[in-house]
Amino acid sequence: MSKSNQLTTAIFAALAMLASLTSPAAAATCGSSAGGYEAWKQQFAGEARAKGISASTIQALMATNYAQATINADRGQRSFSLSLEQFLAKRGGPAIVAKGRSLKQSQGALFASIQQRYGVPPGPLLAIWGMETGFGSQRGNQNMLSSIATLSYDCRRSAFFTEHLYAALQLIDRGALSPAQRGSMHGEVGQTQFMPKAILAYGTGNLENSANALNSTANFLKAHGWRAGAGYQPGEPNFAAIQAWNAAGVYQKAIALMGRQIDGGE
């Protein structure tokens, strides 16, 4: 082999080695049981470190536990297969409407300011607030980081929840969330149950505070096409924004119906 060919071969070998060193590592391996969770955490920690997540936040991730209760809840969401009437009865629709009407009156200034800023009337916001947490009374008691890390590891919807896990780690890095943050089964937090990626995009403050949570919810709806003054029932322009909030058809219809009843419709 000529010296020039030897030099060319050496250059290509060096480039190949450099590429192997700088190329991203394979994604952490998902699983369907608790058995592989600790190994997955080790893999994911390396990816998170490469993306700039701090050592202290990675340490919090490493301290998480496999959340079996979250997996059970994720596999058992049967209420979304109910009819609208059954769903409203199960979730306490009449009580939500009654309480929503009362809060619309007692917190009129807050809802007026939200509507002026975002164009969203009180009804759908109160329906969401009531449906999600019983107006703040049931915000969940699961460790948020463990729940989302478990769902990111779980093969069923790993890609979806991995985006939320990175968002949660960023929020912890910024001090906007604590590693000990409690929430619902899928990692939702606050008065209206925001996922971490939505907090990054639409959050307007501490979501444990009802005014911040309601402003953030209206901000979400506006960002998803809400038009001031347009209707929000199925087939009307603003129903699409409600659909963006939750993928379940029966949930969407329930929010639209209760919102109309709270806003004064039949």
Side-chain angles (χ1 to χ4, degrees):
M1 182 182 295
S2 69
K3 288 184 178 180
S4 62
N5 285 340
Q6 288 176 333
L7 179 60
T8 301
T9 301
I11 290 171
F12 276 113
L15 290 172
M17 181 176 292
L18 180 62
S20 69
L21 291 172
T22 58
S23 61
T29 305
C30 69
S32 56
S33 68
Y37 184 64
E38 294 301 317
W40 172 87
K41 283 196 299 187
Q42 293 285 349
Q43 291 178 295
F44 193 89
E47 298 174 26
R49 193 175 294 110
K51 289 180 180 289
I53 301 299
S54 72
S56 61
T57 297
I58 290 173
Q59 186 176 7
L61 171 67
M62 297 305 295
T64 60
N65 298 310
Y66 184 81
Q68 186 63 55
T70 286
I71 294 298
N72 295 344
D74 190 56
R75 302 289 191 271
Q77 300 183 72
R78 297 186 182 89
S79 65
F80 291 148
S81 64
L82 299 173
S83 69
L84 178 58
E85 293 74 17
Q86 291 170 329
F87 184 77
L88 287 167
K90 182 178 180 64
R91 300 294 286 267
I96 291 173
V97 170
K99 178 71 171 177
R101 286 173 173 168
S102 175
L103 287 167
K104 179 184 172 183
Q105 296 298 319
S106 65
Q107 300 190 31
L110 170 63
F111 288 105
S113 70
I114 291 174
Q115 186 163 5
Q116 182 177 23
R117 182 171 185 180
Y118 300 104
V120 182
L125 296 176
L126 284 158
I128 289 171
W129 190 15
M131 180 76 79
E132 294 288 357
T133 66
F135 303 102
S137 66
Q138 301 169 12
R139 283 172 270 175
N141 195 35
Q142 303 298 310
N143 179 272
M144 177 274 300
L145 192 55
S146 287
S147 293
I148 295 178
T150 297
L151 291 166
S152 179
Y153 158 70
D154 186 62
C155 290
R156 184 166 176 256
R157 289 189 285 169
S158 180
F160 174 80
F161 282 103
T162 294
E163 292 186 354
H164 286 290
L165 179 55
Y166 273 120
L169 297 176
Q170 291 175 49
L171 288 162
I172 292 170
D173 261 356
R174 297 177 187 183
L177 287 180
S178 162
Q181 173 74 47
R182 313 303 286 186
S184 294
M185 287 297 182
H186 288 76
E188 311 96 326
V189 300
Q191 295 272 343
T192 56
Q193 300 288 273
F194 266 66
M195 291 293 289
K197 191 176 175 183
I199 297 174
L200 280 177
Y202 312 108
T204 64
N206 181 355
L207 298 180
E208 302 299 335
N209 173 278
S210 59
N212 286 340
L214 292 164
N215 272 279
S216 298
T217 305
N219 189 30
F220 176 99
L221 294 173
K222 182 179 180 181
H224 286 82
W226 192 281
R227 297 192 342 236
Y232 56 83
Q233 297 306 298
E236 295 180 328
N238 287 331
F239 188 67
I242 293 174
Q243 290 176 304
W245 180 264
N246 189 294
V250 69
Y251 180 104
Q252 298 160 3
K253 292 174 183 176
I255 293 301
L257 177 61
M258 289 189 294
R260 184 178 68 191
Q261 292 172 340
I262 292 168
D263 277 336
E266 294 301 323

